[in-house]
């Protein structure tokens, strides 16, 4: 039996997730798609999330279209988000902390 070369630790850090996605993209041959192609696929996943939320909330949606659960669609979006972080060499945890420091100084109404 062939062992899966992809491994995600049991309690992954944000950096573990980013490394996993980089390895997964290379392993599955997705690392050759250009950034615009990846962004278009990302926006398709956001649309699928919208359908999954409508479905979960009992709102009307096209029952002929394939849509996973909210959890599946959020996972797809998370993977694309990590791909973009890797592409632009962004440490997501650091970016989050920096942005939240800015947000804490804002006045929220």
């Amino acid at each position: 039996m062939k062992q899966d070369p992809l491994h995600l630790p049991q309690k992954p850090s944000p950096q573990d997730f980013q490394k996993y996605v980089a390895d997964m993209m290379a392993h599955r041959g997705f690392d050759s798609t250009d950034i615009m192609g990846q962004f278009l696929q990302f926006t398709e996943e956001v649309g699928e999330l919208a359908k999954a939320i409508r479905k979960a909330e009992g709102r009307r949606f096209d029952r002929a279209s394939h849509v996973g659960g909210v959890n599946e669609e959020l996972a797809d979006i998370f993977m694309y988000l990590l791909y973009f972080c890797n592409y632009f060499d962004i440490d997501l945890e650091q970016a989050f902390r920096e942005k939240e420091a800015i947000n804490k100084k804002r006045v929220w109404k």
Side-chain angles (χ1 to χ4, degrees), residues 23-64:
D23 294 345
M24 179 265 298
M25 297 291 282
H27 179 71
R28 296 181 184 165
F30 298 140
D31 57 343
S32 62
T33 305
D34 70 341
I35 189 69
M36 288 305 296
Q38 292 291 351
F39 184 74
L40 292 172
Q41 290 175 315
F42 170 78
T43 59
E44 289 174 16
E45 293 298 341
V46 172
E48 290 177 15
L49 175 61
K51 287 181 183 180
I53 290 172
R54 286 190 355 222
K55 180 180 175 183
E57 292 295 305
R59 297 178 185 243
R60 290 179 40 174
F61 73 99
D62 179 3
R63 298 194 186 282

Side-chain angles (χ1 to χ4, degrees), residues 17-22 24-25 30-31 33-46 75-93 95:
F17 278 113
Q18 282 189 239
K19 181 180 180 331
Y20 182 89
V21 168
M24 179 265 298
M25 297 291 282
F30 298 140
D31 57 343
T33 305
D34 70 341
I35 189 69
M36 288 305 296
Q38 292 291 351
F39 184 74
L40 292 172
Q41 290 175 315
F42 170 78
T43 59
E44 289 174 16
E45 293 298 341
V46 172
D76 286 341
I77 290 169
F78 184 58
M79 283 186 262
Y80 278 104
L81 174 66
L82 295 173
Y83 166 80
F84 295 132
C85 289
N86 291 336
Y87 183 89
F88 290 106
D89 196 28
I90 294 169
D91 179 317
L92 183 58
E93 180 181 9

Side-chain angles (χ1 to χ4, degrees), residues 1-19:
M1 186 163 107
K2 188 176 179 182
Q3 186 176 355
D4 186 357
L6 301 172
H7 174 71
L8 185 63
Q10 283 291 34
K11 294 186 179 189
S13 69
Q15 293 81 11
D16 290 332
F17 278 113
Q18 282 189 239
K19 181 180 180 331

